[in-house]
Amino acid sequence: METPPPWPRTERWPLPITTERLVIRLATHDDVSEIFETVDANRERLLPWMEWAETENLTIGQTHYTVERFIRDATQAVPVNLAMLICVRETNTLVGGTGLHDFKPATHQAETGYWVELDRQRIGSCTEAVTALTEACFRPQNEGGFGLRRMEIVCSADNPASARVAQKSGYEHEATHRAHRWVKGIGWSDTLIFGTTADTWTKP
């Protein structure tokens, strides 16, 4: 069997993604104020899991830089981080973030992460966003998707809310790396690896 060619990005990212309640889309400079305000209001809750919340988006000016980096990353053939906003469909109000990172073109895979503000927790918003993004990732490029083969979610074992989202979104717990990461305020923590593939994933 021949080795498959590397995954190529689509000419245009298959975004936005629309669900029953949400829109997942790329950020623009028009979003800077809302990104700063939403992150700042949720900063204490984002930590220690989202380490970037301690050093990024601390001011409006810094958030402009963050969004410029997002825009620049989105132009790359293989982005370091294809960041996306999670917004309410009816109002376009920002309520969280997700995206794709750790792209591995040789194996046609990527990793996703996520967060939502406190008011959107426990009503399925994060699961809805991750499920929709996963579906778009596995959809073939000729059908308007990313055309990926495998997706992963990586989180601390001390963050059960994140693990629940992974499982509710159709990802399976594949591995536990013992004492794998240092979590500020907690100490050494296990890392949980969740994964799924295009030929095994079932939409919840």
Side-chain angles (χ1 to χ4, degrees):
M1 184 176 295
E2 293 185 4
T3 302
W7 170 83
R9 66 156 287 180
T10 56
E11 183 176 347
R12 179 182 178 278
W13 295 115
L15 296 165
I17 299 168
T18 302
T19 72
E20 182 180 353
R21 298 180 295 174
L22 306 170
V23 173
I24 303 166
R25 62 176 179 82
L26 298 175
T28 73
H29 282 292
D30 291 338
D31 299 307
V32 167
S33 293
E34 193 172 13
I35 291 172
F36 168 72
E37 292 168 3
T38 304
V39 170
D40 204 47
N42 292 273
R43 198 176 302 277
E44 290 186 7
R45 192 182 57 78
L46 290 172
L47 295 169
W49 319 118
M50 303 292 178
E51 295 180 0
W52 53 263
E54 189 170 24
T55 58
E56 296 183 17
N57 305 315
L58 300 178
T59 65
I60 287 286
Q62 195 179 36
T63 308
H64 270 290
Y65 174 81
T66 298
V67 171
E68 180 61 31
R69 188 180 74 242
F70 288 166
I71 294 171
R72 189 167 58 247
D73 282 350
T75 68
Q76 304 302 309
V78 182
V80 173
N81 179 29
L82 185 62
M84 305 170 199
L85 306 181
I86 301 174
C87 302
V88 175
R89 180 175 177 176
E90 291 184 357
T91 62
N92 200 35
T93 304
L94 175 65
V95 293
T98 185
L100 299 173
H101 57 278
D102 197 23
F103 282 92
K104 293 182 172 63
T107 51
H108 298 223
Q109 71 182 65
E111 185 180 321
T112 188
Y114 37 82
W115 66 273
V116 291
E117 64 179 9
L118 184 60
D119 291 346
R120 303 298 297 189
Q121 287 190 324
R122 303 187 185 282
I123 60 172
S125 295
C126 218
T127 300
E128 184 174 331
V130 174
T131 299
L133 178 57
T134 303
E135 184 176 41
C137 285
F138 288 153
R139 192 181 311 130
Q141 292 186 353
N142 61 6
E143 296 178 13
F146 287 89
L148 291 166
R149 183 193 61 84
R150 174 178 165 82
M151 289 290 296
E152 290 186 352
I153 292 172
V154 179
C155 69
S156 167
D158 290 292
N159 187 2
S162 184
R164 283 195 298 270
V165 169
Q167 293 170 318
K168 289 180 180 179
S169 301
Y171 288 67
E172 295 184 6
H173 177 219
E174 297 181 335
T176 298
H177 295 175
R178 301 296 181 188
H180 182 253
R181 63 172 66 195
W182 178 265
V183 178
K184 191 173 182 178
I186 293 177
W188 292 112
S189 177
D190 295 350
T191 291
L192 305 180
I193 311 295
F194 296 88
T196 188
T197 60
D199 59 350
T200 61
W201 183 72
T202 301
K203 183 177 180 180

